[in-house]
Amino acid sequence: MGFLDRWNGKKEAADNYAAMLALAKQMVAKQSVILDLVEQTDALTKKDIGSWHQAWQMAIDKEEPRRGELYDNYTTALIDNHLTGCLEQRKGRTLQKDFIIKGKDGKENVAAGKLFENEWFVQFLNLALDVKYWGHSLVEFGDIINRGAPNMRFANCSLVPRKHVVQEYGVITKEAGGDIRRGVSYREGAIADWSVEVGDARDLGLLLKVTPQCLSKKNMLGYWDTFGEIFGMPMRVGYTPSQNPADWTKITSMLDKLGAAGYALLPEGTTIEIKETSRGDAYNVYDKRIDRANSEMSKAILVQTMTIDSGSSLSQSETHLEVFNNICKGDATSIRHTINNRLLPLMEKHGFPVAGCSFEWDDAASYTPAEQRENERLLLQYFDIDPKYFSDKYKIAIKGVKQPAQNDFFK
């Protein structure tokens, strides 16, 4: 049963925000706050720079902000393959990082760490990382499975549809774009016990900047297809003096069956002239614009270009990689704060044994093999290391310290 179902069962006549809010404070959610939202299919209408600009204006309205149209533009932009590659590369760097859960004593709490080795936590990380691009996410948690057991977990973790969330006012509307004054607060009461808000209320995300490039690129690809259709394939032209409709139908059918190229059937004496550009590299008009759109998207999402595009200089690529690593470190830091300040308190409220625990990224596990060897060499140079460390790490049985070989000549 969803939250609004329980709401309506308590008070069918609750029709104003104040009464609904007061009722929500009195209710205690036992398992879930799944909202019964009237979801609608996203509008896949043609988008252009004009529609993007208008949607942006609607989203920043101070009194009644509406992001639905802007999100439709974002959805159109996300079908771009280059943009998809940029997003996955940046998110993947954080998702592949190892982490540890520390207890009150500052040491790793292995038992608490196992609570996060579940699908729901991967879902949460994905949704939390999306905030950089969408600007805001309201994440809802499902029922608790195996409550009280060592392997207790959330059933799932899902996104509350963004079109129903008005983060500027902290409310959810039952219908997308509904009356904000009739919205349900998600920052207090029962809903707050089962959800985590990620992102800033006024942030529109990086997709705001890259969407114009995606729309322009999509249009240029369409123009290029039209150019190829007209000038890349031969056109067949048929002439007939006949005025008989049956003859025209027969000849048209014959032209149509000759192939996929365009054709025309004209009365004798008719002239058609196609003016082709005199430039031999006319395709560059489209190709260069598409390349520029891709590089602009790379700069906005990855803050550089060479980690996803080919580079000609090793030194430049290393510099670009360092820039990319720095931006990914920022993403990891934001996620760590979100988990420690919002997720862990919510888990503790629901009985997870995480009191006093903190989330940390295990940077040591992300070192390259060369970096690990150098670190181990320095440690062995100045400290006595327990052989068990190497035995456990490399799965090699270590019997003892190797004795230096002796030369029989000097015996």
Side-chain angles (χ1 to χ4, degrees), residues 272-286:
I272 291 181
E273 185 177 3
I274 299 178
K275 293 289 188 180
E276 186 174 359
T277 176
S278 60
R279 292 177 57 91
D281 60 346
Y283 69 92
N284 277 328
V285 173
Y286 313 103

Side-chain angles (χ1 to χ4, degrees), residues 97-162:
K97 289 172 66 69
D98 292 325
F99 63 88
I100 58 175
I101 302 298
K102 293 184 177 180
K104 295 180 180 179
D105 56 0
K107 298 181 179 179
E108 182 179 4
N109 188 327
V110 178
K114 291 186 179 299
L115 297 172
F116 293 83
E117 296 177 359
N118 283 288
E119 184 179 5
W120 71 265
F121 185 61
V122 177
Q123 294 170 344
F124 175 78
L125 290 179
N126 267 292
L127 294 174
L129 287 168
D130 282 342
V131 167
K132 292 291 183 180
Y133 317 118
W134 291 84
H136 184 274
S137 292
L138 181 60
V139 183
E140 179 188 32
F141 295 88
D143 297 340
I144 295 177
I145 298 176
N146 300 328
R147 184 184 291 271
N151 61 338
M152 67 183 299
R153 66 185 188 276
F154 289 112
N156 54 44
C157 176
S158 58
L159 176 73
V160 178
R162 290 189 172 91

